[in-house]
Amino acid sequence: MIHSLFLINSSGDIFLEKHWKSVVSRSVCDYFFEAQERATEAENVPPVIPTPHHYLLSVYRHKIFFVAVIQTEVPPLFVIEFLHRVVDTFQVTNVGTSFLLDSCPVIDAIIDKSGSTITAEIQGVIDACVKLTGMPDLTLSFMNPRLLDDVSFHPCVRFKRWESERILSFIPPDGNFRLLSYHVSAQNLVAIPVYVKHNISFRDSSSLGRFEITVGPKQTMGKTIEGVIVTSQMPKGVLNMSLTPSQGTHTFDPVTKMLSWDVGKINPQKLPSLKGTMSLQAGASKPDENPTINLQFKIQQLAISGLKVNRLDMYGEKYKPFKGIKYMTKAGKFQVRT
């Protein structure tokens, strides 16, 4: 009946998924996210959402959406009632037995005008939310721990075992805490997830300049780039800008000379662009340098650092905890020179 089940929190993060037949891509939830954006409140999201190949049926409980993927027509009330029972069971069996991880790498980079990487590094953290009864002893291993430089651990971590085996061994405190912070340097070939095509030109003795930029995905493993905001400090000689975005909204402050473009999500099939002209001071000389473009963005479920959890094992207690892992890549100081 139910092909797959996705659990989505109020921030739009898919933090748990279960598949019974074959794996359904998370992209099917894009239809749910679109309906969520159109709804004024979480409770107003339609409980049944048709897609080209599936039906999405959902219930909203405890600030979590439980979204079922159906491939054939079934009585919707039957599925919704089943989801409510799943929530009730989940609530009973997982009280005091959950271990949740957030892995949040932040990428800093400087890209030159030809698109080559000048510098790139990642500052990352892994935050934990633990609600485990008793005194569980945990071991956490990574698929590629050698990526980590300059690691800082929570005091609960047994450092000697990390030094000898590259395994995190610890008895966790209850609640929220930062398990570790780390650094990945450019020596490990940091992947750049976005690119910017640009054509910004000024001419001597001309009152007009040309401005054109396009933003696209580069190395995202098929994940969606969202929350994209582009800013640029324009030269003092720019009086105003007449620009047209293919999506999103933009502003230009003629006093501070700051351009801001709120792009939103990037659709790889229709890349967002911002094009137009710049009005310059009459007789002003050509600026010495073109402006730098700054980007903000986030990518759900992408560990751009390459650091991924291999397995989590628990000793000392007989119950099986609920384990969830969420990856989120964000831009830090991300600059593109033009």
Side-chain angles (χ1 to χ4, degrees):
M1 179 181 67
I2 296 179
H3 195 101
S4 298
L5 178 66
F6 295 94
L7 271 61
I8 303 172
N9 63 21
S10 56
S11 301
D13 303 323
I14 301 173
F15 66 91
L16 179 66
E17 60 187 89
K18 173 67 176 178
H19 306 277
W20 281 275
K21 294 182 180 180
S22 59
V23 175
V24 175
S25 171
R26 288 187 172 199
S27 61
V28 74
C29 293
D30 289 344
Y31 297 97
F32 174 82
F33 293 138
E34 291 173 2
Q36 186 182 22
E37 289 178 359
R38 291 193 295 267
T40 56
E41 296 180 0
E43 292 80 2
N44 295 336
V45 176
V48 180
I49 302 171
T51 78
H53 304 289
H54 306 87
Y55 291 94
L56 304 182
L57 284 78
S58 66
V59 298
Y60 183 64
R61 297 271 302 274
H62 309 293
K63 297 184 179 181
I64 295 175
F65 287 100
F66 292 75
V67 182
V69 180
I70 312 296
Q71 287 189 318
T72 57
E73 290 190 11
V74 296
L77 291 179
F78 182 77
V79 177
I80 290 173
E81 176 62 24
F82 176 78
L83 287 177
H84 280 293
R85 294 194 179 188
V86 169
V87 178
D88 294 338
T89 304
F90 181 86
Q91 188 176 6
V92 171
T93 59
N94 287 288
V95 169
T97 60
S98 62
F99 184 93
L100 304 175
L101 278 178
D102 285 348
S103 177
C104 303
V106 175
I107 180 170
D108 298 330
I110 299 177
I111 312 299
D112 68 17
K113 61 183 179 180
S114 67
S116 300
T117 303
I118 299 176
T119 63
E121 60 182 20
I122 290 172
Q123 306 289 341
V125 299
I126 295 181
D127 291 325
C129 177
V130 176
K131 296 179 181 178
L132 299 175
T133 57
M135 288 289 289
D137 202 326
L138 304 179
T139 60
L140 179 67
S141 62
F142 299 101
M143 293 181 183
N144 35 18
R146 300 293 174 180
L147 288 172
L148 299 179
D149 299 326
D150 191 21
V151 187
S152 177
F153 299 104
H154 187 274
C156 70
V157 175
R158 300 179 178 101
F159 186 65
K160 287 187 177 180
R161 185 165 183 189
W162 170 260
E163 279 192 313
S164 61
E165 302 177 50
R166 285 299 187 261
I167 290 177
L168 291 184
S169 174
F170 58 100
I171 297 176
D174 195 39
N176 299 310
F177 66 97
R178 179 149 294 173
L179 182 61
L180 64 88
S181 59
Y182 63 90
H183 173 83
V184 178
S185 68
Q187 295 176 353
N188 291 306
L189 198 60
V190 175
I192 303 299
V194 298
Y195 69 87
V196 178
K197 288 185 178 180
H198 47 80
N199 181 13
I200 302 174
S201 59
F202 302 93
R203 298 180 186 176
D204 287 321
S205 303
S206 175
S207 59
L208 287 178
R210 182 69 185 171
F211 185 95
E212 179 178 342
I213 58 174
T214 301
V215 185
K218 192 173 182 181
Q219 300 182 66
T220 65
M221 304 295 289
K223 307 298 182 182
T224 301
I225 304 175
E226 55 189 7
V228 179
I229 297 176
V230 178
T231 59
S232 184
Q233 181 69 55
M234 305 304 294
K236 295 180 180 179
V238 177
L239 299 179
N240 213 333
M241 304 184 76
S242 178
L243 305 174
T244 302
S246 64
Q247 73 176 60
T249 59
H250 79 286
T251 59
F252 174 71
D253 189 328
V255 177
T256 62
K257 313 299 182 185
M258 179 61 69
L259 170 67
S260 179
W261 177 26
D262 189 339
V263 181
K265 291 183 180 179
I266 294 181
N267 180 357
Q269 279 71 47
K270 190 177 181 181
L271 297 180
S273 62
L274 183 64
K275 303 178 182 180
T277 58
M278 299 175 286
S279 300
L280 311 175
Q281 290 180 353
S285 59
K286 180 180 177 181
D288 295 333
E289 294 182 352
N290 273 12
T292 297
I293 296 171
N294 301 285
L295 271 76
Q296 298 177 37
F297 57 83
K298 60 182 180 180
I299 308 172
Q300 306 273 7
Q301 294 305 121
L302 176 68
I304 197 71
S305 62
L307 181 70
K308 290 188 176 182
V309 173
N310 180 33
R311 60 182 297 167
L312 172 67
D313 297 307
M314 185 177 74
Y315 305 92
E317 299 291 340
K318 294 183 178 180
Y319 62 85
K320 291 185 178 181
F322 163 74
K323 296 173 283 188
I325 301 172
K326 182 182 73 174
Y327 299 99
M328 165 77 83
T329 293
K330 294 183 179 180
K333 296 180 181 178
F334 197 99
Q335 297 182 344
V336 179
R337 295 175 179 174
T338 67

